[in-house]
Amino acid sequence: MALRELGRSHDYRDRADAGHGLARLAEMQEALGPLLELVLDPGDTFVTRVTAGVVLRRKDRIGLAVVASALAVADPNHSDWIHTAVLDVFSIFSADRDNAMQLCEEMLRDTDDRVAMGARQLHDILAEIDPVLRPV
């Protein structure tokens, strides 16, 4: 409850902090709505980048689904900052990028049309990344 309130703060730093806290609770249904709102924060794209980044760092289906849902409805400015967060998280290790791509492929069949549509966009972003480190 406290994180939800923090996510409604007038201060963008508070909202970014709320994104950090809620990302750890993303498996809870109550956290998903507020997380999506923070990824699409109408007041400051700093909140978008920070929240998308921390959710993506979960490197699981839940985090990727939140970001995919946001991408499906994001305006071009928010899409750019989400894209930046994807690059931040998945540009280093090829295994992380490859796992994320596999999860996106699974989400293409999701019953939630928004997740499926966003998963396609997210997969395309990931496919453009040439990670720095690859297995030997």
Side-chain angles (χ1 to χ4, degrees), residues 7-134:
R8 293 187 190 113
S9 171
H10 294 293
D11 189 325
Y12 72 95
R13 293 167 294 195
D14 288 343
R15 295 193 310 275
D17 285 345
H20 270 276
L22 287 167
R24 289 181 216 139
L25 306 171
E27 61 278 342
M28 296 174 60
Q29 190 65 33
E30 302 86 17
L32 294 178
L35 270 172
L36 186 58
E37 289 173 15
L38 290 168
V39 172
L40 296 171
D41 189 272
D44 198 308
T45 51
F46 173 79
V47 179
T48 297
R49 182 176 182 179
V50 167
T51 305
V54 74
V55 169
L56 289 167
R57 280 185 185 87
R58 289 176 56 97
K59 298 180 182 162
D60 64 4
R61 183 182 167 92
I62 294 169
L64 291 168
V66 168
V67 172
S69 290
L71 269 174
V73 296
D75 62 46
N77 190 33
H78 283 87
S79 290
D80 285 346
W81 286 108
I82 293 168
H83 187 267
T84 300
V86 173
L87 292 174
D88 289 346
V89 174
F90 294 105
S91 291
I92 304 298
F93 297 105
S94 64
D96 290 343
R97 193 268 328 250
D98 295 346
N99 290 337
M101 288 180 70
Q102 182 178 1
L103 289 169
C104 285
E105 289 169 8
E106 293 171 12
M107 289 189 301
L108 292 173
R109 297 179 294 279
D110 199 288
T111 56
D112 182 334
D113 291 340
R114 228 166 89 166
V115 171
M117 184 170 63
R120 168 57 54 205
Q121 294 175 42
L122 186 53
H123 187 276
D124 291 347
I125 294 168
L126 291 163
E128 295 173 1
I129 296 173
D130 183 20
V132 175
L133 299 175
R134 300 178 183 283

